[in-house]
Amino acid sequence: MKSAVETLNPTRVRLTVEVPFEELKDSLDAAYKKINQQVTVKGFRKGKIPARVIDQRFGRGAVLEEAVNDALPKFYTEAVNEAELNPLGQPEVDITELKDGETLNFTAEVDIRPTIEIPDYSGIEVTVDAVEVSDEDVEKAVSDLRERFASTSPVERAAQDGDVLTVDLEAKVDGEVLEDGVAEGVSYTIGSGELLDGIDEAVKGLEAGGEATFTSQLKGGTAEGKDAEVTVKVTQVAARELPELDDDFAQLASEFDTLDELKADSRKRLENMKQFDQATQAQERVLDELLKITEVPIPEKLLADEIQTRKHNLEHHQLGQMGLDLAKYLEIQGKTQEEFDAETEEAAVKGIKTQFILDELVNKEKLNVNQEELTEHLVRRAASSGMSPDQFAQAVVEGGQVPMLVGEVARGKALAVVVEAAKVVDTNGEAVDLEDDEDEAAEAAEVEAAAEAVEADADADAEEKTEA
């Protein structure tokens, strides 16, 4: 077999392959054997039909077609390996010449992973938010905790802001009560905004036993989006009572003995959260700068497939779970179809560039992923998917997605290398040292930022395209 490579553009090549006919012998033998098992000829036992009889009865062309279909993948793979190409997706194959007993010539056009020159990234500089926790932040955290320990008790007075009501609801559209428009014993906190628009104004001032009618646009159900006449009846008014902010509350709500210790712990927790946010911000901004300074040709077919995958996942998975279609989603977002298409393409380009650049860095820096790193990443992914680590691991193995997870971890490590070389300062002009957070916050943030533009439901498809 002889092969030659023609570069059509930075991301696409044409392979020209010439195969001497004798190299088709194994495939021809396999073709005759396969046809033997599929057909019957009077006078011959099944599987024992001579080749010349098959040629006479079914045509030599059918045998050649079967043999070529069997042989093409093998010869294509040999040509790819010989040229040391990294193909993306399936090739477009064209048989240019097939002479029985002489030769098989074919061409194969395929997208390839582009050659990327990683520039010097040591000069990257980014600014991130400073880690600052104010007394007001601490007070709010303690106040939020206090709200969680609030109790309620029925009162005999008119409802007011913050009260917890028990209500019965009935919704009518065009004078007809909806089948799914009746609910009893619903708990609602005035001012929470958790039910229907207009309900707060309707129930304020009502006592137990009182009712009111108001008009509101339904947010779900069979008449979603329609204006309904809603009758609300208050069956109970309960006042929320907050515990006193003292040492007793600290002992009730935490493992601490005093309120001062609880506040100190709240401050530390807020600092840790802000440090995590700062680490994540650093990864994202360093990655953005790396994308700006690195030239990456994008294969057109890969981009088109990625855009289609993102749109499909949004419409048929994410929006479907929320009971929305694309038109309603765009209306809620205040976007036109053109704006949505442009944003989807931009995100797809960023996702492909990110993967190509970080994969190149993985190779350049010779980064490996050990079992402990893979396990830690698997546990994080399991938590974000709502599955147990064992369930998630089983799904990953059965779906053949272990290489995908390994790739995510490796790209996270590649991004960490770039961040380590970059200059990161906060808004106060102080240098930020992410090394202390590397084992916990930074590592998770690195992986998340590296995979930022890749939708969870599209991970497997994207990996198949780049690793095929």
Side-chain angles (χ1 to χ4, degrees), residues 193-341:
E194 294 175 351
L195 283 178
L196 298 167
D197 294 337
I199 191 172
D200 286 345
E201 293 75 10
V203 297
K204 283 180 185 177
L206 294 182
E207 297 184 14
E211 68 177 54
T213 301
F214 64 100
T215 300
S216 182
Q217 187 179 81
L218 298 178
K219 297 179 179 180
T222 57
E224 179 184 2
K226 293 184 178 181
D227 287 338
E229 183 182 82
V230 181
T231 299
V232 54
K233 181 178 180 180
V234 177
T235 60
Q236 179 179 279
V237 179
R240 299 179 75 249
E241 298 176 356
L242 296 174
E244 292 293 329
L245 279 178
D246 52 22
D247 292 346
D248 288 339
F249 169 71
Q251 294 167 22
L252 170 68
S254 70
E255 70 271 28
F256 302 105
D257 294 327
T258 67
L259 184 61
D260 287 341
E261 290 175 329
L262 172 60
K263 288 183 176 181
D265 180 71
S266 296
R267 182 180 295 276
K268 182 62 178 176
R269 289 176 182 271
L270 290 172
E271 288 175 351
N272 290 340
M273 289 172 59
K274 286 182 179 287
Q275 286 173 348
F276 179 86
D277 291 342
Q278 186 186 66
T280 302
Q281 198 175 69
Q283 317 306 321
E284 293 172 347
R285 294 185 178 179
V286 168
L287 176 59
D288 286 341
E289 291 302 313
L290 181 62
L291 293 174
K292 288 179 184 177
I293 64 175
T294 309
E295 287 292 329
V296 182
I298 303 295
E300 293 182 6
K301 178 70 164 53
L302 182 64
L303 177 59
D305 289 346
E306 180 66 14
I307 291 172
Q308 181 59 35
T309 297
R310 287 169 179 268
K311 289 182 176 180
H312 177 84
N313 288 337
L314 176 65
E315 291 188 60
H316 298 281
H317 296 287
Q318 299 166 6
L319 296 183
Q321 292 176 358
M322 295 186 288
L324 299 175
D325 58 19
L326 183 59
K328 186 66 176 179
Y329 169 76
L330 295 179
E331 179 184 337
I332 294 172
Q333 295 292 315
K335 295 177 183 176
T336 65
Q337 182 69 48
E338 291 73 19
E339 290 172 334
F340 169 74
D341 289 342

Side-chain angles (χ1 to χ4, degrees), residues 45-353:
R45 287 183 297 164
K46 194 163 189 175
K48 299 296 183 179
I49 307 170
R52 60 179 176 76
V53 176
I54 291 177
D55 289 345
Q56 291 169 356
R57 297 291 297 270
F58 305 102
R60 174 72 168 177
V63 179
L64 288 175
E65 181 179 355
E66 181 67 37
V68 169
N69 288 339
D70 175 74
L72 277 179
K74 179 183 70 172
F75 292 125
Y76 166 73
T77 301
E78 288 180 7
V80 165
N81 293 337
E82 185 177 291
E84 297 182 344
L85 300 176
N86 291 310
L88 301 171
Q90 296 301 315
E92 295 178 6
V93 177
D94 181 28
I95 298 175
T96 57
E97 186 176 22
L98 175 59
K99 290 184 178 180
D100 194 359
E102 295 183 22
T103 186
L104 163 66
N105 297 336
F106 69 91
T107 62
E109 289 190 16
V110 66
D111 286 334
I112 60 170
R113 183 183 288 268
T115 300
I116 301 173
E117 293 294 331
I118 303 295
D120 180 11
Y121 46 78
S122 61
I124 290 179
E125 297 184 13
V126 298
T127 301
V128 296
D129 294 337
V131 174
E132 296 176 339
V133 177
S134 66
D135 291 342
E136 290 75 14
D137 293 332
V138 175
E139 293 300 327
K140 183 179 184 306
V142 174
S143 177
D144 290 343
L145 181 62
R146 185 188 184 200
E147 290 283 343
R148 290 168 52 190
F149 284 85
S151 59
T152 59
S153 57
V155 292
E156 295 182 3
R157 60 164 172 76
Q160 59 190 33
D161 277 332
D163 284 345
V164 180
L165 309 183
T166 303
V167 299
D168 297 335
L169 298 166
E170 181 184 83
K172 295 180 180 180
V173 173
D174 298 329
E176 297 290 332
V177 178
L178 299 172
E179 290 185 8
D180 54 356
V182 178
E184 297 180 348
V186 177
S187 179
Y188 176 67
T189 302
I190 299 179
S192 66
E194 294 175 351
L195 283 178
L196 298 167
D197 294 337
I199 191 172
D200 286 345
E201 293 75 10
V203 297
K204 283 180 185 177
L206 294 182
E207 297 184 14
E211 68 177 54
T213 301
F214 64 100
T215 300
S216 182
Q217 187 179 81
L218 298 178
K219 297 179 179 180
T222 57
E224 179 184 2
K226 293 184 178 181
D227 287 338
E229 183 182 82
V230 181
T231 299
V232 54
K233 181 178 180 180
V234 177
T235 60
Q236 179 179 279
V237 179
R240 299 179 75 249
E241 298 176 356
L242 296 174
E244 292 293 329
L245 279 178
D246 52 22
D247 292 346
D248 288 339
F249 169 71
Q251 294 167 22
L252 170 68
S254 70
E255 70 271 28
F256 302 105
D257 294 327
T258 67
L259 184 61
D260 287 341
E261 290 175 329
L262 172 60
K263 288 183 176 181
D265 180 71
S266 296
R267 182 180 295 276
K268 182 62 178 176
R269 289 176 182 271
L270 290 172
E271 288 175 351
N272 290 340
M273 289 172 59
K274 286 182 179 287
Q275 286 173 348
F276 179 86
D277 291 342
Q278 186 186 66
T280 302
Q281 198 175 69
Q283 317 306 321
E284 293 172 347
R285 294 185 178 179
V286 168
L287 176 59
D288 286 341
E289 291 302 313
L290 181 62
L291 293 174
K292 288 179 184 177
I293 64 175
T294 309
E295 287 292 329
V296 182
I298 303 295
E300 293 182 6
K301 178 70 164 53
L302 182 64
L303 177 59
D305 289 346
E306 180 66 14
I307 291 172
Q308 181 59 35
T309 297
R310 287 169 179 268
K311 289 182 176 180
H312 177 84
N313 288 337
L314 176 65
E315 291 188 60
H316 298 281
H317 296 287
Q318 299 166 6
L319 296 183
Q321 292 176 358
M322 295 186 288
L324 299 175
D325 58 19
L326 183 59
K328 186 66 176 179
Y329 169 76
L330 295 179
E331 179 184 337
I332 294 172
Q333 295 292 315
K335 295 177 183 176
T336 65
Q337 182 69 48
E338 291 73 19
E339 290 172 334
F340 169 74
D341 289 342
E343 289 178 3
T344 303
E345 180 175 352
E346 181 181 357
V349 168
K350 183 176 181 180
I352 293 171
K353 288 183 67 173

